[in-house]
Amino acid sequence: MVSIARTIRIQDVAKRANVSVATITRVVNGSGYVSARTRQVVQQAIDDLGYVPNRMASALKGKSTGVIGTINPSLDINPYFVQLSAALDRSVREYGFRILSMVVNREQSDEVGLIHELVSRMVDAIFFIGSTAVPEALIQSIVDRGIPVVMLERPLDIRDVDRVTVNAWEGSAMAAQKFLAFGHTNIGYVGVRLRHQVEEDRYEGFRQTLLRNGVPLEARNTVLVEEYELTHGYNAMRQLLGQNGRPTAVFLSSDILAAGALQCLYDAHLRVPDDVSLIGYDDTMASTMSPPISSVALPIQEMAATTVDLFLERKREGRKAGKVVRIEPHLVDRDTVKDLRATVERT
Amino acid sequence: MVSIARTIRIQDVAKRANVSVATITRVVNGSGYVSARTRQVVQQAIDDLGYVPNRMASALKGKSTGVIGTINPSLDINPYFVQLSAALDRSVREYGFRILSMVVNREQSDEVGLIHELVSRMVDAIFFIGSTAVPEALIQSIVDRGIPVVMLERPLDIRDVDRVTVNAWEGSAMAAQKFLAFGHTNIGYVGVRLRHQVEEDRYEGFRQTLLRNGVPLEARNTVLVEEYELTHGYNAMRQLLGQNGRPTAVFLSSDILAAGALQCLYDAHLRVPDDVSLIGYDDTMASTMSPPISSVALPIQEMAATTVDLFLERKREGRKAGKVVRIEPHLVDRDTVKDLRATVERT
DNA sequence: GCTCGATGTGTTATCGATATCATACACGAA
DNA sequence: TTCGTGTATGATATCGATAACACATCGAGC
């Protein structure tokens, strides 16, 4: 016989165990005093009935929902956000939280509505990921509601809000240094139009590092595309190859662009690093390419862990002021930069 | 002055608008009769106070939570599941639902606990994605609780449970046919150990199609690896290349394996399709490879939409019996199969 | 023997939204 | 005029878990 779907309430368990509902809560939540004997009887009743406490009622009464809302760009834009989301998910799970992800499309999306929904679902915190278009006043209103907010890799600087940022400048600088160290002077840069601080930093870190070492980044070697898209990487590389005196090394400010560039090189029968040296950025796809290319890696799991830590710390200590943590990237070297130095000097 | 975080309740709005709470609900939910005048006053009060209805209370009183739980393997195992998850998310959002994703690791993970959590959160449905290890009895208990269940690409066949399956047999068959049509007879197969129906189908579809056309799949040309991992694809390809009379065409039962294989070919200075023809499966990474390779594509968005449809239909019509929908894959041809036919005959 | 604190259990108001039930007015038909 | 029906609004029990409060028992210490 199919049991008709009637939810089993704490009342039912109480009746079965011949105790009051208060005792059931105590057993379930491990609070207050319960004798070993009673505890066992109650547990038996719970198991028999297949009782599962109703979290809605619990949350309504004041206990936390254990849900953290995230506002992030669509995941199919860039594998970087996929990995970041997965890392965040792992991190919050460690502390018993779940993620409720809200996607903001570039084009439309009613951010106010999304935030309101998170509020209505009583999330314990809201994480903003990447550069989505959420007006500052709206974020302020969340803070005023007493909901902890953490910004992950977002330009905005709001009073009393915690932030995790990445040292993008330094990341690009590492790539530049690698090229310089191996004797390259004719160097290309492929990035995305400088619309946010992040793009700006990646560009400047690269340009300035070259410049400081006496290698100005030539305009004809600089390609800024509209989006982080494969075909843009392809076209950018074609543009760089098209000129006489093509660069011997090219830095791409995202792996997705590098993947496109690699396809272009394949079509041109050019090999990496024999014919062209390559370094990517974010290290999301680099290891799966043919060949696997060097890439500036962001410690994604660390970023996620830091984000959660900031939230937990604020919750625990009731901290009021905003805190900013800057994460340092590192270069994952897969030997895709050719050594152009005539003689290797011993230092 | 910072407003102290005190939640605004329906009561507060009622007081402000000088009406009863009942009227507020009516305005918010658009139910029952409300005069235009009152509606306006109430709306004003809502806006003034920044009132957001508490969904916990609402759910507790019997309204749906609008949340659908999913049980899926970890997303970093395979980009296929990432895309599937994103597609599902889009599909449920169209109908105002949200996804709460529960990850089951291969190694451990307390599936009972995960399901119980979904129940405690009063999800409107549960979708099972891929071949995770959830015992049949547990799923039956969900069904008994009256929660709609849809299985997406899962082998299990449970009474009264809706399912969406993929015709994996046919997918592989398409790849085989392509090879045959272009005159290949020395053909390789790289797959994963046949632990589930899916792996079995992919293998058999390929093998049988070749056989029916008089081309037996040789044992030395068949490599079954342990997992869907890049390095396994690399090693498998190396094994195939190592023998004299290496295959002229290789089918890989997942793009991630193909990506590894491609790296191997790169190292061996072999080009696709000039030296080796290649077809992948699932079309998740194929388009980003160098070169982009042909791959058997699964209509992921359609699978997601179908899953949601089955749930909605059951909900709407109160359907009781289980329904199975089979999805057909198709080959995305990127010209990575070389034409070996000496003369092209006109048909 | 009495008091006090530790232990163990029960009773019930409460969280916030909903829907049922009750009430009341207005207008047209009988 | 009266009745019925459509429109409009209010009062309140209810969903299920929690915790404050009350009460009761027991043993140790005086």
Side-chain angles (χ1 to χ4, degrees):
Chain A
M1 197 199 84
V2 177
S3 66
I4 298 300
R6 246 280 291 128
T7 321
I8 286 138
R9 309 174 330 284
I10 199 172
Q11 282 272 9
D12 305 322
V13 182
K15 195 159 295 174
R16 169 125 188 169
N18 274 315
V19 293
S20 73
V21 292
T23 302
I24 310 296
T25 331
R26 290 190 188 106
V27 171
V28 171
N29 297 326
S31 58
Y33 293 109
V34 182
S35 73
R37 166 111 193 76
T38 308
R39 183 184 311 280
Q40 200 201 319
V41 172
V42 169
Q43 192 56 56
Q44 188 62 51
I46 288 175
D47 293 343
D48 289 351
L49 298 174
Y51 167 69
V52 177
N54 184 324
R55 196 115 191 208
M56 300 298 112
S58 177
L60 181 57
K61 193 63 220 310
K63 301 210 98 174
S64 98
T65 53
V67 174
I68 292 173
T70 65
I71 305 284
N72 45 259
S74 173
L75 295 188
D76 20 45
I77 283 182
N78 198 318
Y80 170 62
F81 289 112
V82 174
Q83 295 190 11
L84 197 49
S85 293
L88 263 178
D89 199 70
R90 271 193 296 275
S91 281
V92 303
R93 252 168 229 282
E94 270 179 44
Y95 299 95
F97 292 93
R98 305 290 173 226
I99 291 268
L100 186 62
S101 158
M102 292 290 176
V103 175
V104 176
N105 305 51
R106 184 77 51 82
E107 317 86 57
Q108 33 93 29
S109 254
D110 161 33
E111 312 92 11
V112 182
L114 294 183
I115 304 277
H116 272 194
E117 177 173 341
L118 290 181
V119 171
S120 96
R121 292 193 185 279
M122 297 180 69
V123 294
D124 295 336
I126 299 182
F127 297 164
F128 288 87
I129 300 160
S131 308
T132 51
V134 179
E136 182 164 340
L138 186 56
I139 295 178
Q140 189 61 54
S141 79
I142 303 171
V143 175
D144 291 347
R145 276 200 158 87
I147 303 175
V149 169
V150 184
M151 311 271 240
L152 185 41
E153 258 217 293
R154 289 198 92 225
L156 273 172
D157 188 6
I158 296 181
R159 222 169 59 86
D160 297 340
V161 167
D162 295 336
R163 289 169 58 208
V164 177
T165 68
V166 172
N167 191 345
W169 197 99
E170 187 58 32
S172 297
M174 286 170 164
Q177 276 153 7
K178 180 77 191 179
F179 285 157
L180 291 167
F182 275 33
H184 291 263
T185 52
N186 188 3
I187 301 174
Y189 177 91
V190 178
V192 166
R193 187 169 52 84
L194 313 179
R195 59 183 163 208
H196 294 304
Q197 190 62 45
V198 186
E199 279 85 25
E200 183 95 21
D201 287 349
R202 285 186 211 167
Y203 174 70
E204 286 300 331
F206 195 75
R207 189 185 68 80
Q208 290 178 24
T209 303
L210 288 187
L211 193 61
R212 287 176 195 174
N213 288 274
V215 181
L217 179 58
E218 315 243 3
R220 55 171 201 143
N221 276 347
T222 307
V223 186
L224 296 185
V225 301
E226 275 303 305
E227 292 292 341
Y228 294 102
E229 274 174 24
L230 198 79
T231 53
H232 286 130
Y234 189 101
N235 293 333
M237 181 55 85
R238 189 161 56 183
Q239 185 178 327
L240 291 176
L241 294 182
Q243 61 207 25
N244 43 7
R246 64 158 193 255
T248 59
V250 178
F251 173 60
L252 301 110
S253 79
S254 169
D255 273 9
I256 186 90
L257 295 176
L262 215 46
Q263 291 183 345
C264 179
L265 292 174
Y266 191 87
D267 287 349
H269 284 72
L270 295 175
R271 288 181 67 90
V272 175
D274 315 77
D275 303 309
V276 178
S277 296
L278 233 53
I279 297 184
Y281 189 101
D282 66 34
D283 196 36
T284 52
M285 308 173 67
S287 69
T288 72
M289 297 182 195
S290 304
I293 65 166
S294 300
S295 190
V296 177
L298 311 182
I300 287 182
Q301 192 60 61
E302 181 190 339
M303 290 164 63
T306 305
T307 303
V308 178
D309 281 349
L310 283 174
F311 154 60
L312 290 175
E313 182 195 305
R314 168 175 296 252
K315 192 169 120 102
R316 196 168 356 101
E317 304 172 0
R319 176 162 54 74
K320 189 83 189 53
K323 209 166 166 181
V324 179
V325 177
R326 194 166 70 167
I327 304 281
E328 296 297 328
H330 63 277
L331 180 67
V332 175
D333 199 331
R334 298 193 177 90
D335 299 319
T336 52
V337 179
K338 189 178 181 182
D339 196 339
L340 294 185
R341 292 167 299 180
T343 51
V344 178
E345 296 161 25
R346 197 159 305 165
T347 16
Chain B
M1 195 199 85
V2 178
S3 66
I4 297 301
R6 246 280 290 129
T7 321
I8 287 138
R9 309 173 331 283
I10 199 172
Q11 282 271 9
D12 306 321
V13 183
K15 195 159 294 172
R16 169 127 188 167
N18 275 314
V19 292
S20 73
V21 292
T23 301
I24 310 296
T25 331
R26 290 189 189 106
V27 171
V28 171
N29 297 327
S31 58
Y33 294 109
V34 183
S35 72
R37 166 113 193 77
T38 309
R39 183 185 312 279
Q40 201 202 320
V41 171
V42 169
Q43 192 55 56
Q44 188 62 52
I46 289 175
D47 293 343
D48 289 351
L49 298 174
Y51 168 69
V52 177
N54 184 324
R55 197 117 190 206
M56 299 298 112
S58 177
L60 181 56
K61 192 62 220 307
K63 302 209 98 174
S64 97
T65 54
V67 174
I68 292 173
T70 65
I71 304 285
N72 45 258
S74 173
L75 294 189
D76 20 46
I77 282 182
N78 198 317
Y80 170 62
F81 289 112
V82 173
Q83 296 190 11
L84 197 49
S85 293
L88 263 178
D89 199 69
R90 271 192 297 274
S91 282
V92 303
R93 252 168 229 282
E94 269 179 44
Y95 299 94
F97 291 93
R98 306 289 173 226
I99 292 267
L100 186 62
S101 158
M102 293 290 177
V103 176
V104 176
N105 305 50
R106 183 77 50 81
E107 318 86 55
Q108 33 95 27
S109 254
D110 162 31
E111 312 93 11
V112 183
L114 295 183
I115 304 279
H116 272 194
E117 177 173 341
L118 291 180
V119 171
S120 98
R121 292 194 185 279
M122 297 180 68
V123 295
D124 295 335
I126 299 181
F127 297 163
F128 288 87
I129 301 160
S131 307
T132 52
V134 180
E136 182 165 339
L138 186 56
I139 296 178
Q140 189 60 54
S141 79
I142 304 171
V143 175
D144 290 348
R145 275 200 159 87
I147 303 175
V149 169
V150 184
M151 311 273 238
L152 185 41
E153 258 218 290
R154 290 198 90 226
L156 273 172
D157 187 6
I158 297 181
R159 222 169 58 87
D160 298 341
V161 167
D162 294 335
R163 290 168 58 207
V164 177
T165 68
V166 171
N167 192 346
W169 197 99
E170 187 59 31
S172 297
M174 286 169 164
Q177 276 153 7
K178 179 78 190 178
F179 286 157
L180 290 167
F182 275 34
H184 291 262
T185 52
N186 188 4
I187 301 174
Y189 177 91
V190 178
V192 166
R193 187 168 53 83
L194 313 179
R195 58 185 162 205
H196 293 304
Q197 189 62 46
V198 186
E199 279 85 22
E200 184 94 20
D201 287 349
R202 286 187 211 167
Y203 174 69
E204 286 300 331
F206 195 75
R207 190 184 68 78
Q208 290 178 24
T209 302
L210 289 187
L211 193 61
R212 287 176 194 173
N213 288 274
V215 181
L217 179 59
E218 315 241 2
R220 55 171 201 143
N221 276 346
T222 306
V223 185
L224 296 185
V225 301
E226 274 304 305
E227 293 292 341
Y228 294 102
E229 274 175 24
L230 198 79
T231 52
H232 286 130
Y234 189 101
N235 293 333
M237 181 54 85
R238 189 162 56 185
Q239 186 178 326
L240 290 176
L241 293 182
Q243 60 207 26
N244 42 8
R246 64 157 193 255
T248 59
V250 178
F251 173 60
L252 301 109
S253 79
S254 168
D255 273 9
I256 187 90
L257 294 176
L262 214 47
Q263 291 182 345
C264 179
L265 293 174
Y266 191 87
D267 287 350
H269 284 73
L270 295 175
R271 287 181 68 88
V272 175
D274 317 76
D275 303 309
V276 178
S277 296
L278 234 54
I279 297 184
Y281 189 102
D282 66 33
D283 197 37
T284 52
M285 308 174 68
S287 69
T288 72
M289 298 182 194
S290 303
I293 64 166
S294 301
S295 190
V296 177
L298 312 183
I300 288 183
Q301 192 61 61
E302 182 190 338
M303 290 164 63
T306 305
T307 303
V308 178
D309 281 349
L310 283 175
F311 154 59
L312 290 176
E313 181 195 306
R314 168 175 295 252
K315 193 170 119 101
R316 195 166 359 99
E317 305 171 0
R319 176 162 53 74
K320 190 82 190 56
K323 208 167 166 180
V324 179
V325 178
R326 194 166 69 167
I327 304 281
E328 295 297 328
H330 63 277
L331 179 67
V332 175
D333 199 332
R334 297 192 178 92
D335 300 319
T336 51
V337 178
K338 189 177 180 183
D339 196 339
L340 294 185
R341 292 166 299 179
T343 52
V344 178
E345 296 160 27
R346 197 158 304 166
T347 16

